[in-house]
Amino acid sequence: MAAAGDEYDPTPSEHELEAHLQTRNMVVNLGPSHPATHGTVRLRIELDGETIVKMDTEIGFLHRGFQKSCESVTWTQVLPYTDRLDYVAALQNNFGYLSAVETLMGIDIPERAKYIRVIGAELHRIASHLTTAGALALELGGFSAFLYAMEARELITDRVTELTGARLTTSYGRIGGLNRDLPDGWKEKVMKSIVKIEEVAAEMDTLLSRNRIFTDRTKGTGVITADDALDFGFTGPALRACGVSYDVRKAQPYWAYDKLDFTVPTGNNGDNFDRYYMRMLEIPESLKMIKQCFAQMPEGPVMIDDWRIALPPKENVYNSIEGVIAHFKLVMEGVPVPDGEVYHCTESPNGELGWYLRSDGSGRPYKCHVRAPGYQILSGLGRLCEGRMLADLVPTFDTINMIGGEVEQ
Amino acid sequence: MSTFALDQIQAQLPQALVERYKDRTGETWGVIAREHIVEVVKLLKVKLGFRLFISMDAVDRLHLPPEEQDPRFEVLYFLKNIERNEHARLKVRVNEDQDIPSINKVFQGADWGERFVWDFYGVVFAGGNKRRILMYEEFVGHPLRKDYPLRGRQNLIPERPIQDIFRGPGTNGVQD
């Protein structure tokens, strides 16, 4: 028998090992201002050890009253507000909104404008996908892949700057077409950039897609079934990663997409890796489309010839009474959008970007609802994370690519 | 311009369909009776394959011509059938004092849609989640109603103590 004063035996007894530990779930707050929540979203996470038991997503920190503002300005003046929705791919929002208004008015835009819209939209789709993949790599510790992504994105930003005059807030395009044609020599510059972007995207693919550390962190995490994804309203790469092939560009071709040859990649696991990989596969497709557009693009006007919709040329404004009146009416009263309503959608990098527009014929939108793809995807973030590890939250949050601007309007 | 969804609703739940019409682009819209919306959405999802939830919103008809003002709100539901490549465009018309049965048991994605409509229009969903989504909880009123002023300002609210982890940063609910 051991005497008092013997040294302490640290091995726990059987009884101690079996004893029920008195633990409580811990509540952890993430955001709204946190490096891993790019965008301002607050997650209240209830943890049992390292497992997420319950997660509550709180949004609204970036709410700027998009709809209310739209209702107080003319149809054309809404355009700068749309830049600030998905600010990583502003042209997508610009053109999506303009398409919806044109559908509501029942007008068709010139062929050349359609091709330029595809080029702009696809450039920004690549930029958005690169940002998503780069940020994902960064947060999983791969800083070099992020730098490659930014290098390629910078090329796109430069080309977009030359085209629109702004790096991020493009406000390009007008109801009825585009406000200006391509700048001189722009096509050659884009073709040169495309070669570089292709190279860099391939480099990123090599760095990440078969990287053991990266695949361990992304494969099998943040899984969602196709049924749940549809239920929550996932669209775009997040839905296609689950094996549902739905892309607005194929389903209801708009602009020039029916004349282009491209494929839409579909995954099958619905996990983080598939959501990331869908984006990597879409980049070469978008580059292919841009090349086809340049090859097929006809010459001609980029704006419809109707002074009730398009601003008259400056020489007419200064030298003719018709020009002055058309200019005055357009600036003061706005484009005459007839009484009616429409739901129109285009494919933005994150999925279906839908617009429900209602006009009462007054020259200002009566209602301007935007169906942001990220809003529905973010509503399913809890489902993606509950019952999984806390560490997987970060890649999951990255691959759904939540953009504060569009989600919080 | 497929009319499959509304044809089926008309055939299977004729009492639910109040009105159907075409907009100028030729797309069909259906106005559904308030009490039947859950049945209709279930029918669309389970039997007719409209499994993708698109979005929800509402329109305040206060400033429309008088004959269109009653009922005041129009709640919009958009669903999608991927196989048939068709959107279903549904509406439910309600007045301020009426509520709509919640469809968040049918579509989980509708939860945020209903919270949005509650937050911005004040339309109540019976059995739904009555929490604001974009505005802060101390906010008074519903900003997208047409009678809410564009430059409406509300009093500043003292900041919530940081220790309050369950409610997080923001205001502490005390109005001055």
Side-chain angles (χ1 to χ4, degrees):
Chain A
M1 196 182 145
D6 271 0
E7 60 275 27
Y8 168 68
D9 179 9
T11 321
S13 68
E14 199 69 12
H15 169 73
E16 277 171 325
L17 282 175
E18 295 298 316
H20 181 68
L21 258 181
Q22 292 293 323
T23 56
R24 277 188 312 161
N25 287 351
M26 182 168 62
V27 178
V28 173
N29 177 63
L30 185 76
S33 176
H34 184 276
T37 63
H38 14 103
T40 48
V41 60
R42 175 175 177 248
L43 307 171
R44 194 168 65 77
I45 307 161
E46 199 178 321
L47 287 172
D48 177 15
E50 278 193 76
T51 313
I52 297 175
V53 182
K54 199 174 171 310
M55 197 174 91
D56 188 27
T57 315
E58 199 180 309
I59 59 172
F61 298 96
L62 206 61
H63 178 63
R64 344 181 259 298
F66 171 77
Q67 292 197 21
K68 193 79 177 171
S69 314
C70 291
E71 288 169 15
S72 69
V73 295
T74 63
W75 291 93
T76 315
Q77 286 168 338
V78 171
L79 194 64
Y81 294 139
T82 64
D83 296 337
R84 281 114 178 125
L85 288 173
D86 184 352
Y87 38 73
V88 183
L91 285 174
Q92 292 270 1
N93 307 306
N94 290 166
F95 297 158
Y97 167 73
L98 294 173
S99 273
V101 180
E102 285 150 7
T103 316
L104 178 56
M105 296 174 73
I107 56 175
D108 197 26
I109 63 169
E111 203 64 9
R112 186 175 170 82
K114 288 183 187 171
Y115 279 100
I116 298 178
R117 282 191 183 182
V118 174
I119 295 171
E122 293 305 322
L123 276 176
H124 259 171
R125 187 186 312 280
I126 301 167
S128 171
H129 287 351
L130 283 170
T131 314
T132 312
L136 173 64
L138 177 70
E139 271 150 32
L140 296 181
F143 192 64
S144 41
F146 171 73
L147 289 180
Y148 279 113
M150 288 304 112
E151 187 191 351
R153 197 182 79 156
E154 199 57 30
L155 285 172
I156 295 173
T157 313
D158 286 347
R159 298 295 85 78
V160 169
T161 314
E162 286 155 13
L163 178 66
T164 68
R167 278 171 63 83
L168 286 175
T169 50
T170 52
S171 302
Y172 185 53
R174 293 290 179 269
I175 297 164
L178 300 165
N179 47 338
R180 73 184 86 129
D181 205 341
L182 303 182
D184 289 337
W186 194 71
K187 179 185 165 188
E188 288 68 34
K189 280 187 187 165
V190 173
M191 292 310 256
K192 231 191 245 169
S193 303
I194 282 178
V195 178
K196 185 72 186 162
I197 293 165
E198 223 162 9
E199 246 170 55
V200 173
E203 188 83 17
M204 276 185 71
D205 194 38
T206 335
L207 277 174
L208 297 176
S209 305
R210 274 165 294 281
N211 178 330
R212 178 69 197 276
I213 302 169
F214 183 79
T215 49
D216 277 358
R217 287 296 303 276
T218 51
K219 276 190 181 164
T221 61
V223 185
I224 190 161
T225 61
D227 278 339
D228 271 343
L230 290 165
D231 217 30
F232 275 111
F234 282 33
T235 45
L239 180 63
R240 292 194 286 272
C242 307
V244 183
S245 176
Y246 171 56
D247 187 315
V248 185
R249 291 173 293 174
K250 287 279 187 199
Q252 293 141 290
Y254 49 95
W255 307 333
Y257 282 113
D258 48 343
K259 292 170 205 130
L260 302 176
D261 169 36
F262 66 103
T263 53
V264 177
T266 313
N268 40 29
N269 300 321
D271 59 0
N272 283 330
F273 184 80
D274 275 20
R275 283 195 286 276
Y276 148 80
Y277 205 53
M278 290 310 105
R279 294 191 158 93
M280 289 312 274
L281 293 177
E282 274 181 30
I283 293 174
E285 292 299 322
S286 297
L287 292 168
K288 211 167 88 186
M289 273 185 256
I290 296 172
K291 285 181 206 158
Q292 290 174 29
C293 282
F294 276 125
Q296 294 179 15
M297 193 161 65
E299 290 295 320
V302 291
M303 190 73 186
I304 62 169
D305 185 24
D306 184 343
W307 288 0
R308 285 170 306 166
I309 297 161
L311 280 175
K314 278 288 170 287
E315 52 271 28
N316 294 79
V317 178
Y318 293 132
N319 300 321
S320 75
I321 188 72
E322 293 80 9
V324 178
I325 290 173
H327 186 96
F328 179 82
K329 283 185 84 73
L330 261 178
V331 173
M332 300 308 288
E333 291 168 14
V335 177
V337 177
D339 199 346
E341 61 187 333
V342 72
Y343 178 81
H344 180 80
C345 55
T346 57
E347 180 82 12
S348 87
N350 291 331
E352 175 170 334
L353 177 72
W355 297 87
Y356 169 78
L357 301 177
R358 177 84 168 254
S359 169
D360 58 352
S362 68
R364 281 154 205 259
Y366 187 78
K367 166 80 189 172
C368 179
H369 159 69
V370 51
R371 188 262 181 209
Y375 187 79
Q376 290 302 333
I377 298 179
L378 194 66
S379 79
L381 183 63
R383 167 58 56 90
L384 286 167
C385 292
E386 277 166 16
R388 315 264 163 66
M389 303 298 274
L390 176 65
D392 294 338
L393 168 67
V394 173
T396 308
F397 190 79
D398 277 317
T399 52
I400 64 166
N401 193 20
M402 173 265 184
I403 305 282
E406 65 171 15
V407 171
E408 302 171 12
Q409 306 191 357
Chain B
M1 313 293 159
S2 172
T3 57
F4 172 74
L6 288 176
D7 293 344
Q8 289 295 320
I9 295 171
Q10 204 157 25
Q12 299 192 27
L13 290 170
Q15 72 279 19
L17 194 68
V18 179
E19 187 194 335
R20 59 182 286 178
Y21 63 92
K22 282 192 174 178
D23 65 18
R24 240 172 328 99
T25 56
E27 300 290 356
T28 328
W29 294 76
V31 182
I32 307 293
R34 179 170 70 93
E35 55 276 17
H36 292 294
I37 183 67
V38 180
E39 279 170 78
V40 169
V41 172
K42 235 181 226 162
L43 171 79
L44 284 171
K45 184 186 176 187
V46 180
K47 291 207 188 134
L48 308 178
F50 285 79
R51 294 193 303 150
L52 175 60
F53 179 79
I54 294 286
S55 67
M56 270 181 76
D57 207 323
V59 180
D60 181 2
R61 314 204 294 165
L62 191 67
H63 290 174
L64 285 177
E67 65 276 12
E68 288 182 52
Q69 278 180 13
D70 188 56
R72 179 167 173 189
F73 297 106
E74 209 163 56
V75 179
L76 313 163
Y77 296 82
F78 299 103
L79 306 175
K80 170 101 192 177
N81 183 332
I82 292 174
E83 289 78 29
R84 299 187 64 93
N85 190 14
E86 183 186 330
H87 279 91
R89 298 158 159 88
L90 306 178
K91 284 179 174 183
V92 173
R93 290 181 180 151
V94 284
N95 262 321
E96 270 165 279
D97 49 350
Q98 293 171 312
D99 58 5
I100 304 180
S102 165
I103 63 158
N104 64 10
K105 297 282 183 302
V106 189
F107 279 107
Q108 300 170 72
D111 190 38
W112 277 27
E114 288 175 355
R115 281 175 68 186
F116 184 90
V117 175
W118 155 250
D119 191 355
F120 285 90
Y121 289 94
V123 176
V124 180
F125 292 91
N129 194 342
K130 204 173 160 186
R131 269 168 70 204
R132 288 187 181 273
I133 189 146
L134 293 179
M135 304 306 291
Y136 48 98
E137 54 191 275
E138 292 86 354
F139 189 83
V140 183
H142 302 283
L144 276 179
R145 286 188 174 190
K146 289 284 177 186
D147 51 7
Y148 189 88
L150 179 66
R151 290 176 194 279
R153 288 279 182 273
Q154 301 207 0
N155 290 335
L156 290 176
I157 291 164
E159 202 172 331
R160 220 177 269 161
I162 196 72
Q163 290 90 340
D164 191 350
I165 195 160
F166 285 93
R167 291 172 69 218
T171 54
N172 69 0
V174 184
Q175 302 241 9
D176 55 2

